[in-house]
Amino acid sequence: QVQLVESGGGLVQPGGSLRLSCAASGFTLDYYTIGWFRQPPGKEREGVSCISISDGRTYYADSVKGRFTISRDNAKNTVYLQMNSLKPEDTAVYYCATDPHDSSCEVYDYDYWGQGTQVTVSS
């Protein structure tokens, strides 16, 4: 069974940093695309950053380029999202998702989702 568990969310001041983790089980990470998505209050869920495990191809939303970095540890079946220089606009529930293809960073491409972790950026 595919299972994704996010962790690392919390409350942080503007300009601060958080590192989110997504622990995957039930599948071989090497053959899946993994993505981070977020849903601000009252907004649609959107892609933040995605990585193809097979070839390392990455995507970043324009709003996070230069501030967020996606990375992976295949041995641990874990994907990370390092978030620096956080802004209030980054406040959202962040979700980890995976798809057994070399997919885009669109919500509809993804088959399996974690439960989400809240990130709040506020002074």
Side-chain angles (χ1 to χ4, degrees):
Q1 294 185 239
V2 174
Q3 185 175 8
L4 302 170
V5 180
E6 302 100 328
S7 62
L11 175 64
V12 65
Q13 293 185 341
S17 298
L18 286 173
R19 190 190 195 195
L20 305 184
S21 298
C22 174
S25 62
F27 66 99
T28 302
L29 194 60
D30 305 44
Y31 297 96
Y32 283 71
T33 300
I34 298 287
W36 286 99
F37 299 79
R38 68 185 182 187
Q39 188 164 14
K43 304 287 187 178
E44 296 292 324
R45 193 173 301 183
E46 63 183 358
V48 176
S49 182
C50 297
I51 183 168
S52 171
I53 304 304
S54 60
D55 63 10
R57 184 177 67 255
T58 59
Y59 163 87
Y60 294 95
D62 288 342
S63 59
V64 307
K65 286 181 179 177
R67 300 188 297 118
F68 291 11
T69 304
I70 191 169
S71 62
R72 69 194 189 207
D73 186 334
N74 287 359
K76 296 181 179 180
N77 265 3
T78 300
V79 176
Y80 306 95
L81 185 68
Q82 179 66 46
M83 305 186 295
N84 298 325
S85 301
L86 283 162
K87 304 175 180 180
E89 303 93 283
D90 297 318
T91 296
V93 177
Y94 283 71
Y95 297 89
C96 179
T98 190
D99 182 69
H101 304 91
D102 288 331
S103 300
S104 69
C105 212
E106 298 288 344
V107 169
Y108 61 78
D109 280 335
Y110 288 77
D111 297 323
Y112 304 101
W113 294 81
Q115 81 288 349
T117 185
Q118 177 71 47
V119 172
T120 302
V121 184
S122 177
S123 60

